[in-house]
Amino acid sequence: MRACRRRLPVAMATPGRWAAAAQLLVVVVAAVAAAALPPARGFSLPLQRPAECGDARYFDISRLACGPCGAHQRQSAGGSSCVCQPGYRMVSSNGGSSVICEKCPENMSGVTQDGWNCITCPKGLTSEGKCKCLNNEILVERRMDGILLNEALCIHCNGSEQSFSASDASGNRCVRCEQTFINVSKSCDCSSPNVLTGGLCFSASESLPPKGVATVRFAQLGITLTSAWFLKNLQSSASACWLYSNLTACQALGNMCVMNMNSLSSSSTDACGLFQYIYVNTARLGIVHSIAFWRHNLPWLYYGDQPGLASQALEANHFPAIFSFKGTDKDVKLQFIAASFDAAGNFLKWQSVEGGILQLCPDTQTKLNAAYAFGTTYQQSCKIPVSKILSDFANPIFYDLFLEYNGDNGQQYLWAVPVLNLNLQYSEMFVNQGSNMNNWLLTRRFFLVDALSGKENDLGKLPRVIRIASKITISIRLVSHTQRGTIYPPLITIAYTDVLVQNPETQSVMVSFSVNYEMNQSEAQIQTDITLGVLGGLAVLWSLLKTAGWKRRTGSSIIDLQTVLKFLLFYAGDLANVFFIITVGTGIYWLVFFKAQQFVSVLLPLPSQEEDFVTYIACAFSLKALQFLKLLVSQLTIDIFFIDWERPKGKVLKAVEGEGVIKSAAAPVSIWRTYFIANEWNEIQTVRKINPLFQVLAVLFFLEVVGFSNLALMDSSSSLTRSSESFIAPWSRILRFGVSAALWLAIAFLQIIFFSVFYERFVEDKISQFVDLCCMSNISVFLLSHSCFGYYIHGRSVHGHADTNMEEMNMNLKREAENLCSQRGLLPNTDGQTFQISISRKMRLHYDRIHETLTRKRGPARLLDSSANTFEQSTRAYNTMNKFLNSFIDHVHKEMDYIVKDKLLLERILGMEFMEPLEKSIFYNDEGHSFSDVLYYGNETTLLIFDMLFFSIVDLASQSFVLAAILTYLQQEIFRFIRNTLGQKNLASKTLVDERFLI
């Protein structure tokens, strides 16, 4: 016991030690194995396909790689397992390579169809080592009870009158032979002289159709190939259709004609030639549904047998239903329905085209179905790999498209939708590719993808060429002058693309599907042309009046080249306004009448029909830009002078330079008031009636944030919000311009009302304040915008002096408020301080002589008076001009006097003066502060239209409201900087105010 107790710990510890040793061994082995492994490659593996394994290997689906087959084995037909070679039978099989094969005895060299047993084959072996039988025989390997026979039997099917049987396609059983064999030979044998074609038997004595040409022409590739499908089925389908009026055969023949693009040629007996032969020679059978082009027993393929009948199908009748933008599904949706057939001519089903039946591009159900919402312009395009097309459309489906509607009695009816196949050839000419409807040859049936006719030798192999409907367009045309949404029959236009199949994995095809809505725009175009002609003529007259007024204001009566150029500049601005009115009116018209209508009476112009509209906008912008530049130049070259009415207060002692004596002289008048007024004038040069930044931001806010931009979509919805799941229609350029123009004008109008009614009245009116400031500063402003025309702001203080202290200034203001002093007006007892002035030629000449001295300091140094420096000459000239204008205003110069009068109403309307200032100048009372015409403030209309057109041009070019807003604001700031900078230089030059004091 003691010995046992001593060994027990050892025995108990042994398992633990072995476990520790085992763990250590595992770690060491793993370390050695890791050291022996190549560098890690991540989670990667080589790509192998079943076709790459070869005959002696199979594709292991568990490893996704090729594995070797065993002895006497080869790859199965599916490629994912091994099977025994010919002459060997399977002993066991668990899939993959788990197959055991055993050689068959010499006297039983054949293998049963299931591969498990050996059997004697009396009539030879197939290439796979199976038994074979002759035609019209079936192979029997087992008895009725399933016991295997030692020798296979080939049992002949009885084709006599008692049974009329023949072996089926697999050779496994006898079935009743095809009816044409029985009809022709009273047996299942179609021996000579009878004709066997396409699995059908025809009697040689019957009048068969002409021998068909089993070729398909792919015109885009310049390839004509013999189609295996046509070779097998063309002649038999034509013969069965011709002799027996077999409905399926007729449909199959029609499908083969459609696969040949419905092309017709008088000398060809291809599929379409055979169809036409049968169509022409079966007129006795009558027509279907009273449709002259639809023959009994035949599919309806053509609208007539020659071009020229398209207008009858598209315009002779209206579609007998009405559509609206708001209402039930029947009223707002196009209920397209299609009869579908397979290539063999079997009718498949009636089906609605919703759900993407006609759309090759994938998308959500909602977006696909949006194509059939009435009034929604639909566009969809994508690139599809050829490999996907081959897998999804291995067998073509043919469609006869109809538009469903309800009759007055509640019965559902169908209206056939014609097809314009752009690939159709008539006598070797593509008659459908022109725009002349009289040349078109309309058809009915179409397909999306044809991967069948391009197979040359074996129908089980890939086609050499496939044909794809790469562009499908459904066109809906509104009846002119309708008020109830009446349309013409729709037209579906299809363009096919021929693709030579070389590498399906890398090849792709661009496809598109669209729905367009259009109406006759000729009447609208005529009305636009008439409006343009009338307004353009009025613009000529208005420009002539402006030119006449300009000639009067320049004091010239000679019509010279400058006059002609001036007229052209005036006409450019007025013609820009004409184009602007037409484009804005057109844009808002389409916006209101298209989006607000319930029963459809108008449809948007097509993108191709918008070109004239875009051209009008471009013309408006170009001409308005020319007018704006002319305005800018004229404002930067005006003549301006500040008249100082301040008189010296007393005398001061002044040392006379060079004489050493002191003399008394008049106290100098302070120049600071003039500098102050000059600065104020400089500040108001670019003041506008609206806030440009707010204008741009507000327009952008309503377009992008509130959602007004959604009104520019080419659909029937007038909602400002769209869900992310819904289809987004393409933009209409007319609607984009209409929405942005309406918002721009509305916001600008509200701004002008706000500033003129509230802000300028209760907060700040910079123009009126400038006039008041002139009066308080005892400074008048003399402006000449033309040679003999300008403006005068009378700023002479009623208190005599303005250069005073604060106490006296406040006292003066108090006296003026209590009417204790005279009024501010130029004439006694009047308040008129602003005037339009028309000066005489003599006055202008005198002004120019003094002004020439003012600007002489900027001329060459050799022209300066060497006896006095430039500054003294300028100061002397300034004082001379100031005294001259003082005396002129005070009627000192009788030979250059002036009168004050009111303008006639017609003069105000026309913007010109009827009376010419021959002897005396004329001051016209101006309560409207029209001196702002030489500032931005008085040209708000021009600036507003220019900004709006600039915004629209950028948007139409970029289709981006954000970019248009950014660039519009930038151009505003750039031109404002130019106007301020150059205007400041002109102010300093004309008034002798040092530019350093203009801040």
Side-chain angles (χ1 to χ4, degrees):
M1 290 293 292
R2 188 178 297 132
C4 291
R5 285 196 293 269
R6 280 200 299 266
R7 289 194 183 102
L8 183 60
V10 176
M12 293 291 291
T14 300
R17 291 176 180 177
W18 278 110
Q23 292 178 358
L24 179 61
L25 180 61
V26 169
V27 171
V28 171
V29 171
V32 172
L37 286 175
R41 293 176 297 175
F43 300 98
S44 66
L45 66 156
L47 171 63
Q48 292 184 338
R49 295 181 173 88
E52 299 172 353
C53 294
D55 292 336
R57 297 194 300 168
Y58 77 103
F59 186 74
D60 189 340
I61 60 175
S62 65
R63 298 190 304 115
L64 300 179
C66 295
C69 289
H72 312 300
Q73 298 175 17
R74 61 186 174 86
Q75 189 186 74
S76 66
S80 61
S81 63
C82 298
V83 294
C84 294
Q85 293 179 352
Y88 291 82
R89 73 178 185 91
M90 286 190 297
V91 176
S92 68
S93 176
N94 293 318
S97 63
S98 301
V99 178
I100 300 176
C101 298
E102 180 181 83
K103 186 174 178 58
C104 291
E106 294 295 334
N107 61 340
M108 301 178 71
S109 59
V111 181
T112 57
Q113 296 293 317
D114 56 18
W116 286 94
N117 300 98
C118 297
I119 194 169
T120 303
C121 299
K123 295 188 178 182
L125 301 174
T126 66
S127 60
E128 296 180 351
K130 308 291 179 65
C131 296
K132 70 177 181 179
C133 293
L134 301 178
N135 289 336
N136 221 24
E137 291 181 341
I138 62 172
L139 177 67
V140 178
E141 297 176 335
R142 297 179 183 273
R143 293 187 343 189
M144 292 290 292
D145 57 2
I147 297 175
L148 183 70
L149 299 174
N150 290 328
E151 183 177 333
L153 303 176
C154 288
I155 299 176
H156 183 77
C157 293
N158 188 352
S160 62
E161 190 171 354
Q162 288 79 9
S163 59
F164 291 128
S165 65
S167 63
D168 63 2
S170 62
N172 293 329
R173 62 188 182 128
C174 295
V175 295
R176 181 179 174 85
C177 59
E178 213 282 326
Q179 185 64 35
T180 58
F181 288 77
I182 301 173
N183 295 340
V184 171
S185 63
K186 301 300 181 182
S187 70
C188 291
D189 184 25
C190 190
S191 58
S192 180
N194 297 324
V195 179
L196 176 65
T197 176
L200 303 179
C201 185
F202 300 97
S203 173
S205 62
E206 292 177 312
S207 177
L208 296 175
K211 181 67 175 177
V213 180
T215 58
V216 180
R217 175 165 175 76
F218 297 93
Q220 293 177 354
L221 302 175
I223 296 176
T224 300
L225 57 81
T226 300
S227 169
W229 177 261
F230 282 36
L231 198 61
K232 177 181 178 181
N233 298 293
L234 177 60
Q235 196 65 40
S236 59
S237 297
S239 300
C241 179
W242 169 248
L243 295 176
Y244 309 125
S245 296
N246 183 281
L247 301 181
T248 305
C250 292
Q251 296 292 334
L253 176 62
N255 291 341
M256 283 183 272
C257 177
V258 174
M259 284 190 277
N260 237 342
M261 297 289 95
N262 295 88
S263 297
L264 293 174
S265 176
S266 58
S267 60
S268 175
T269 55
D270 59 5
C272 293
L274 292 177
F275 180 86
Q276 284 298 101
Y277 174 84
I278 298 174
Y279 179 86
V280 171
N281 290 280
T282 55
R284 66 186 183 280
L285 298 179
I287 59 178
V288 179
H289 298 302
S290 301
I291 299 174
F293 313 121
W294 197 346
R295 186 82 74 239
H296 262 298
N297 302 327
L298 295 178
W300 177 12
L301 296 188
Y302 296 95
Y303 284 82
D305 57 356
Q306 59 185 1
L309 300 176
S311 59
Q312 178 181 343
L314 297 175
E315 295 181 342
N317 299 294
H318 300 166
F319 182 70
I322 60 175
F323 293 91
S324 65
F325 282 173
K326 301 173 179 64
T328 62
D329 283 350
K330 291 289 184 183
D331 297 329
V332 300
K333 297 200 73 174
L334 296 166
Q335 305 288 336
F336 284 109
I337 187 172
S340 56
F341 301 82
D342 64 10
N346 298 300
F347 175 77
L348 299 179
K349 60 181 176 180
W350 285 105
Q351 60 184 137
S352 170
V353 298
E354 290 190 346
I357 299 300
L358 303 182
Q359 293 142 283
L360 293 175
C361 295
D363 213 329
T364 63
Q365 193 82 358
T366 302
K367 292 182 179 180
L368 290 172
N369 294 342
Y372 308 109
F374 187 80
T376 298
T377 298
Y378 186 90
Q379 290 180 358
Q380 181 196 43
S381 62
C382 66
K383 186 176 287 188
I384 304 180
V386 171
S387 58
K388 178 174 175 58
I389 293 175
L390 291 173
S391 62
D392 293 349
F393 299 94
N395 298 307
I397 297 177
F398 298 84
Y399 300 97
D400 289 344
L401 192 63
F402 298 87
L403 187 57
E404 183 182 346
Y405 67 96
N406 291 331
D408 295 335
N409 56 358
Q411 173 69 38
Q412 288 183 318
Y413 292 93
L414 300 176
W415 191 282
V417 178
V419 176
L420 182 67
N421 185 348
L422 300 183
N423 297 68
L424 182 148
Q425 294 185 67
Y426 184 83
S427 298
E428 308 301 325
M429 296 179 60
F430 292 98
V431 294
N432 289 343
Q433 292 186 1
S435 58
N436 188 354
M437 186 184 298
N438 295 324
N439 294 333
W440 291 352
L441 178 58
L442 300 181
T443 57
R444 280 283 298 131
R445 185 165 294 185
F446 66 95
F447 60 87
L448 298 182
V449 176
D450 172 21
L452 181 62
S453 65
K455 296 181 178 181
E456 284 189 292
N457 300 315
D458 189 350
L459 291 175
K461 294 183 178 180
L462 287 177
R464 181 183 174 192
V465 181
I466 61 175
R467 183 170 271 154
I468 304 166
S470 56
K471 185 176 182 181
I472 300 178
T473 302
I474 299 177
S475 301
I476 312 295
R477 289 197 308 134
L478 192 69
V479 175
S480 300
H481 306 295
T482 181
Q483 300 296 325
R484 302 288 293 176
T486 306
I487 64 172
Y488 290 110
L491 173 68
I492 178 169
T493 303
I494 304 178
Y496 289 95
T497 297
D498 301 336
V499 179
L500 184 63
V501 180
Q502 295 173 327
N503 189 346
E505 298 295 335
T506 59
Q507 289 179 277
S508 60
V509 181
M510 179 64 71
V511 298
S512 66
F513 181 88
S514 60
V515 181
N516 294 330
Y517 293 83
E518 57 183 298
M519 62 178 292
N520 188 352
Q521 301 288 344
S522 59
E523 184 176 345
Q525 185 62 47
I526 291 174
Q527 293 176 350
T528 301
D529 292 342
I530 292 174
T531 304
L532 181 60
V534 172
L535 294 181
L538 294 177
V540 171
L541 296 178
W542 188 246
S543 300
L544 287 172
L545 287 175
K546 285 185 176 180
T547 306
W550 173 81
K551 292 295 291 182
R552 178 66 57 87
R553 291 179 174 183
T554 55
S556 172
S557 59
I558 302 174
I559 299 178
D560 50 8
L561 180 60
Q562 184 184 13
T563 306
V564 176
L565 292 176
K566 204 69 177 180
F567 166 75
L568 293 177
L569 289 174
F570 283 131
Y571 185 59
D574 294 332
L575 192 58
N577 294 335
V578 170
F579 281 119
F580 176 77
I581 293 171
I582 291 176
T583 52
V584 170
T586 301
I588 295 178
Y589 168 84
W590 286 113
L591 177 64
V592 173
F593 283 89
F594 176 74
K595 289 291 185 177
Q597 62 187 339
Q598 178 176 356
F599 294 102
V600 183
S601 59
V602 294
L603 290 175
L604 290 173
L606 296 174
S608 59
Q609 296 172 326
E610 292 179 332
E611 296 302 326
D612 288 343
F613 179 81
V614 175
T615 302
Y616 288 167
I617 296 178
C619 290
F621 171 73
S622 302
L623 296 173
K624 185 57 68 172
L626 189 62
Q627 182 189 17
F628 173 69
L629 293 176
K630 167 187 166 294
L631 170 68
L632 205 61
V633 171
S634 65
Q635 289 191 0
L636 294 175
T637 55
I638 62 169
D639 290 319
I640 182 171
F641 191 84
F642 299 120
I643 307 173
D644 192 353
W645 295 98
E646 196 74 11
R647 294 292 178 263
K649 291 184 177 180
K651 294 180 181 285
V652 295
L653 298 178
K654 183 178 181 181
V656 180
E657 187 177 355
E659 298 181 6
V661 297
I662 297 177
K663 295 183 179 180
S664 64
V669 176
S670 172
I671 195 63
W672 288 107
R673 289 173 297 100
T674 302
Y675 286 172
F676 180 60
I677 294 298
N679 270 288
E680 291 301 315
W681 176 265
N682 190 47
E683 289 180 5
I684 66 172
Q685 287 192 97
T686 54
V687 169
R688 293 181 58 174
K689 294 183 179 180
I690 64 171
N691 186 316
L693 178 59
F694 176 81
Q695 176 76 18
V696 171
L697 293 179
V699 169
L700 188 61
F701 172 80
F702 280 101
L703 285 173
E704 295 294 345
V705 180
V706 179
F708 275 86
S709 61
N710 290 320
L711 295 178
L713 297 175
M714 298 178 71
D715 58 22
S716 58
S717 174
S718 55
S719 173
L720 299 182
T721 58
R722 305 295 170 93
S723 65
S724 58
E725 294 80 14
S726 63
F727 171 76
I728 304 300
W731 300 105
S732 166
R733 289 180 290 183
I734 290 181
L735 292 186
R736 281 184 78 91
F737 179 80
V739 171
S740 60
L743 282 175
W744 196 280
L745 293 176
I747 294 173
F749 180 71
L750 292 176
Q751 277 208 83
I752 292 173
I753 290 179
F754 169 76
F755 278 101
S756 60
V757 175
F758 297 100
Y759 187 84
E760 292 181 352
R761 180 171 296 183
F762 300 108
V763 180
E764 182 183 32
D765 182 358
K766 289 183 178 295
I767 303 301
S768 297
Q769 287 177 349
F770 178 77
V771 176
D772 292 338
L773 197 60
C774 288
C775 187
M776 297 306 300
S777 302
N778 207 15
I779 300 289
S780 292
V781 183
F782 190 83
L783 291 163
L784 289 178
S785 57
H786 299 73
S787 296
C788 297
F789 180 83
Y791 306 92
Y792 174 67
I793 302 174
H794 186 61
R796 192 170 191 174
S797 174
V798 296
H799 308 290
H801 293 279
D803 196 1
T804 182
N805 56 34
M806 181 182 295
E807 182 180 358
E808 188 174 351
M809 179 68 71
N810 289 333
M811 184 64 67
N812 291 339
L813 292 175
K814 183 177 180 182
R815 292 178 58 208
E816 191 170 355
E818 295 174 354
N819 291 325
L820 298 178
C821 56
S822 60
Q823 294 175 298
R824 293 181 175 182
L826 175 63
L827 298 179
N829 301 320
T830 63
D831 288 324
Q833 293 180 261
T834 56
F835 301 88
Q836 294 181 5
I837 58 175
S838 182
I839 62 176
S840 64
R841 192 65 185 167
K842 185 182 296 185
M843 161 64 182
R844 178 67 201 201
L845 291 174
H846 196 82
Y847 178 88
D848 287 341
R849 281 196 297 270
I850 303 175
H851 190 264
E852 182 182 357
T853 309
L854 273 172
T855 56
R856 188 183 299 171
K857 68 184 180 70
R858 305 185 184 275
R862 60 184 177 83
L863 299 178
L864 298 178
D865 187 355
S866 57
S867 62
N869 65 44
T870 305
F871 180 74
E872 290 181 352
Q873 279 191 334
S874 298
T875 303
R876 192 178 306 118
Y878 170 80
N879 292 327
T880 303
M881 177 68 78
N882 193 62
K883 290 179 181 179
F884 167 68
L885 293 178
N886 271 325
S887 59
F888 172 73
I889 298 299
D890 284 340
H891 300 279
V892 173
H893 304 281
K894 298 303 180 182
E895 72 282 4
M896 292 183 291
D897 205 358
Y898 66 92
I899 60 172
V900 180
K901 64 189 299 284
D902 291 325
K903 259 193 173 183
L904 300 175
L905 178 62
L906 190 57
E907 287 180 312
R908 294 177 184 272
I909 295 174
L910 297 179
M912 62 183 300
E913 297 75 35
F914 296 157
M915 185 180 296
E916 189 172 358
L918 297 176
E919 298 296 332
K920 292 186 177 182
S921 301
I922 305 174
F923 278 42
Y924 295 99
N925 289 311
D926 177 27
E927 298 177 358
H929 296 168
S930 62
F931 68 88
S932 61
D933 288 349
V934 299
L935 308 171
Y936 264 12
Y937 188 89
N939 296 276
E940 185 59 51
T941 301
T942 300
L943 298 174
L944 184 67
I945 294 176
F946 175 74
D947 289 344
M948 198 191 86
L949 290 173
F950 184 91
F951 180 91
S952 300
I953 284 291
V954 175
D955 172 62
L956 291 178
S958 65
Q959 297 287 287
S960 172
F961 287 124
V962 176
L963 179 62
I966 293 174
L967 294 183
T968 301
Y969 178 70
L970 287 178
Q971 69 85 13
Q972 288 175 345
E973 290 300 304
I974 290 172
F975 282 113
R976 189 174 69 86
F977 174 78
I978 293 173
R979 176 65 179 84
N980 275 333
T981 303
L982 298 184
Q984 181 173 305
K985 290 184 179 299
N986 181 67
L987 182 64
S989 171
K990 300 295 177 61
T991 62
L992 285 182
V993 173
D994 197 309
E995 194 171 351
R996 290 172 295 179
F997 293 98
L998 298 176
I999 57 176

